[in-house]
Amino acid sequence: MPSLLITGADLLGRGAADVLVEDGVITEVGSIRSARGADVLDADGLVALPGLVDLHTHLREPGREDAETIASGAAAAAVGGFTAVLAMANTDPVTDTAEAAERILDLGRATGLVDVVPVGAVTKGLAGEELAELGLMHRSRARTTVFSDDGRCVHDARVMRRALEYVRAFGGVVSQHAQDPHLAGPQACAHEGELSGRLGLPGWPGVAEESVVARDVMLARHTGSRVHVAHVSTAGTVEVVRWAKAQGIAVTAEVTPHHLVLTTDLLAGYDPTFKVNPPLRPQEDVDALRAALADGTIDAVATDHAPHARQDKEHAFVDAAFGMLGLETALAVVSDVMVGSGLLDWAGVARVMSQAPARIAGLGTHGGALEVGDAAHITLVDPTAELTVDRGASLSLSRNNPWHGRMLRGAVHATVFGGRVTAQKGALA
Ligand SMILES: [Zn+2]
């Protein structure tokens, strides 16, 4: 692999420098006159971030390769500036054994585009009853550290307690999809309020999330273990997480790009593109989520990239599948809404989209600060690019893109994974 010289990039928004990459590692940072034989990437006017890390991606392999494969998801991730993605366990079959986790790891490696890190199921078959092979998955080549039944809530408190006790032994973490199944059942698909009543859609009240998060932080305190809250969607959950952190409880939290922008009124047209779990919330929640991401109460942005084949999404609203694409647009959305409003600077974006997720998932080689000795996972961002999202241009196999037709300011210019340019200007390199 030839060396790579990136010239003039603004490193995490802290000032321009050149970066030399040799054998997949950053070997020099500063004013570099020449690097013989190196490929040169002119990054004048671009911001360089440590490669983005997504804590929450749904690749549909194995089981629904018509919606997404590990290869197509990895391509979408690379174009979106990601160098590592955590692949959720709700595939068919479920990732609940060491062998299943290793298979995902190997399929990810074969892409050469990003590190695909398997998330292990908390319970066998995501059934919520018997713990999956947590220890065996951790001791496997996949070194599984994050466990989640995402798509479903681990709603039995005794099972959640045991899972937390189990993963504590090896520094693992349980990522919880917080949804009390009695307060918000499988049909619940719209924020419970005046609008859901008017539209006749089954309501999904915020308290179904908040009550589970409140329980889980107390279980984390009781067990001395680590819990992570997936896709926080309400101001009430933010309050609980803020309180728990103030007590020293080991809780972390993520928010999706869509919950930072899109609101429940989008459901008025019954367009299933906007059907997602947890549902889009009112503006007050959106405002609280933005503030919580800015002040560190919410640690990370995670996409919850959820590709769906046309035949699963194009239904009457109540029957359509939950979920939206997110990998290719996440950085642009965060740039537009958080940097554009002054709530985050670029160092803040590095924190919430790379460093914090890498730390939460225990990914030692990701989430650095672009310093000498770091693995060369680098995302170059054009902060002034204005891009209108076109769902037809996606590398995902699915088209359920809620950002279609929107103009967003700030775009990924190029992605470097292990010293190699994997993507440039919306296409694979
Ligand atoms: Zn979920």
Side-chain angles (χ1 to χ4, degrees), residues 155-229:
H155 63 87
D156 183 323
R158 206 175 37 157
V159 172
M160 188 63 179
R161 175 189 174 175
R162 277 211 219 98
L164 288 167
E165 285 169 345
Y166 205 103
V167 303
R168 186 187 51 187
F170 53 79
V173 61
V174 177
S175 171
Q176 174 72 294
H177 170 121
Q179 176 179 6
D180 183 295
H182 304 293
L183 288 171
Q187 289 295 310
C189 62
H191 173 72
E192 185 180 288
E194 188 268 324
L195 184 69
S196 67
R198 189 147 49 81
L199 297 174
L201 296 173
W204 197 136
V207 71
E209 173 177 300
E210 294 148 6
S211 56
V212 170
V213 175
R215 180 201 76 180
D216 285 353
V217 297
M218 296 315 279
L219 288 171
R221 174 157 86 176
H222 181 77
T223 57
S225 192
R226 244 182 352 125
V227 70
H228 176 75
V229 185

Side-chain angles (χ1 to χ4, degrees), residues 11-76:
L11 306 188
L12 289 81
R14 288 172 178 149
D18 307 325
V19 176
L20 181 63
V21 173
E22 296 171 296
D23 296 322
V25 177
I26 296 174
T27 53
E28 202 179 335
V29 176
S31 180
I32 303 168
R33 289 269 166 81
S34 72
R36 227 176 336 153
D39 292 340
V40 177
L41 207 168
D42 176 7
D44 190 33
L46 305 180
V47 174
L49 303 175
L52 307 183
V53 177
D54 188 13
L55 284 169
H56 195 144
T57 305
H58 296 277
L59 305 175
R60 300 301 189 193
E61 185 176 359
R64 286 306 302 267
E65 289 84 349
D66 57 328
E68 199 80 286
T69 62
I70 287 173
S72 67

